[in-house]
Amino acid sequence: MNAQLGKTTAPVGYFTEDNSIDAVNARMGQDVSPRLATVMACLVKHLHLFAREIELTQEEWDFGIDFLTRTGQICTQERQEFILLSDTLGLSMLVDAINNRRPEGATENTVFGPFHVNGAPVRKMGDEISFDGKGESCLFIGRVLDLDGKPVEGARIDVWSDNADGYYDVQQPDIQPKWNNRGVFITSADGHYSFVGIKPVSYPIPDDGPVGQMLGKLGRHPYRPAHMHYMVRADGFQKLVTHTFVGGDPYLTSDTVFGVKKTLVAPFERVEGGSTTWRSDFDFVLARPNETR
Ligand code: BEZ
Ligand code: FE
């Protein structure tokens, strides 16, 4: 059996630099859940290979421990620095990609982010979701379809975006009206949706903590290109968590959390003489649970 996967039966002896992976993984108990054993043995393998490859110094690892400690210490109910770390290292998008392999034509997933709030009000199609009087109004309009192009009835579309200053309502509870730039819309038989929000703006992720320091040291900016968040759920379909991105945004190719996909860049067109300044058309195509790639 492969000792690196935790199944060794032969004793490996005392820990040495050369046998370190086997030395740790050989300690795995007999009754450990098989998945946990696989995950932990692989994690140990890659951590050790990482330390060996870069010849990790004591000083560097002390810094690493301190960084992780500070990352934990800044976490609160409202602030999840470990998710930001995962996002900015591209790990959130990789896990999302592994878990949402959809056939061509189905709308792609992207990162959920920390600013969704459960319980946003259900609104009527066409309703306004922006209440702080800031920003340029935008009509968001389209349909929810299945992969055959048929409308999906009863799809629950949960939407949220930042305001024109680049902040979500939950980041400014004393400044923005409650549920500003949020709402839930439910499709009827024609699958259509529409609502009026603002044209979103690009904004920096919270960068006053360890993750922001890391980005600074790595010569990276903390910005996300302007986007509208969507979570679309309908009975008999995979849950879709996605954004539409504002075409032409300068950060599209350098999103600090790697969330941009070509198919999610949406048109935002200026409207002459309409009731909103902008209009963005986008259809969401849902895949059924068995429709995978
Ligand atoms: C967001 O788009 O809301 C977001 C995603 C990842 C990290 C921070 C913010
Ligand atoms: Fe966002």
Side-chain angles (χ1 to χ4, degrees):
M1 286 287 190
N2 182 349
Q4 293 190 355
L5 292 176
K7 302 277 190 217
T8 189
T9 44
V12 287
Y14 291 120
F15 185 105
T16 68
E17 185 177 337
D18 292 335
N19 79 359
S20 69
I21 297 170
D22 290 347
V24 174
N25 284 340
R27 298 276 177 94
M28 196 79 73
Q30 293 303 310
D31 299 327
V32 179
S33 118
R35 180 64 183 166
L36 178 63
T38 302
V39 169
M40 289 308 296
C42 193
L43 179 64
V44 165
K45 179 173 107 180
H46 286 281
L47 280 174
H48 287 223
L49 291 177
F50 158 75
R52 278 185 206 166
E53 185 174 332
I54 59 160
E55 300 236 347
L56 188 62
T57 68
Q58 189 61 51
E59 204 182 12
E60 286 164 345
W61 187 223
D62 290 345
F63 180 85
I65 296 279
D66 182 57
F67 175 84
L68 292 172
T69 304
R70 286 184 285 118
T71 298
Q73 283 168 340
I74 202 173
C75 289
T76 62
Q77 276 295 103
E78 290 79 36
R79 173 85 179 244
Q80 229 304 352
E81 195 77 357
F82 277 110
I83 296 183
L84 279 189
L85 182 59
S86 162
D87 293 344
T88 50
L89 293 179
L91 189 58
S92 301
M93 281 302 290
L94 178 59
V95 173
D96 191 70
I98 291 167
N99 287 278
N100 293 285
R101 296 185 182 124
R102 302 207 174 108
E104 198 161 326
T107 304
E108 296 188 274
N109 246 54
T110 190
V111 65
F112 189 47
F115 297 126
H116 176 261
V117 181
N118 281 323
V122 177
R123 303 197 187 281
K124 285 198 312 297
M125 285 305 171
D127 270 1
E128 178 106 34
I129 60 165
S130 191
F131 306 115
D132 60 356
K134 294 184 174 179
E136 296 181 305
S137 62
C138 181
L139 173 67
F140 294 83
I141 189 163
R143 288 171 304 163
V144 182
L145 305 169
D146 69 10
L147 271 163
D148 298 323
K150 296 205 187 76
V152 176
E153 181 176 4
R156 198 180 164 84
I157 312 177
D158 202 329
V159 306
W160 65 106
S161 84
D162 58 347
N163 76 349
D165 296 329
Y167 293 103
Y168 290 83
D169 57 353
V170 285
Q171 294 176 287
Q172 298 185 313
D174 300 330
I175 297 175
Q176 293 192 37
K178 198 164 168 61
W179 305 118
N180 195 29
N181 295 303
R182 295 177 190 276
V184 174
F185 296 86
I186 298 173
T187 57
S188 47
D190 63 8
H192 277 274
Y193 76 87
S194 65
F195 62 94
V196 175
I198 58 158
K199 186 181 181 214
V201 299
S202 48
Y203 64 86
I205 63 166
D207 65 343
D208 55 345
V211 169
Q213 287 160 12
M214 175 188 81
L215 293 176
K217 292 246 188 238
L218 296 179
R220 287 174 53 179
H221 69 70
Y223 279 84
R224 298 217 62 207
H227 55 273
M228 175 62 77
H229 288 263
Y230 294 88
M231 176 160 64
V232 186
R233 284 173 288 188
D235 289 344
F237 292 91
Q238 296 175 36
K239 177 171 81 173
L240 171 65
V241 173
T242 198
H243 316 343
T244 57
F245 291 92
V246 178
D249 188 283
Y251 295 109
L252 280 177
T253 52
S254 65
D255 181 0
T256 197
V257 302
F258 305 93
V260 182
K261 292 180 179 174
K262 199 172 159 194
T263 57
L264 301 178
V265 179
F268 278 74
E269 279 155 13
R270 203 172 254 286
V271 183
E272 297 306 330
S275 57
T276 59
T277 311
W278 296 88
R279 172 185 173 122
S280 181
D281 289 68
F282 198 88
D283 289 344
F284 296 98
V285 180
L286 303 185
R288 295 192 163 77
N290 61 341
E291 291 171 328
T292 56
R293 193 166 30 82

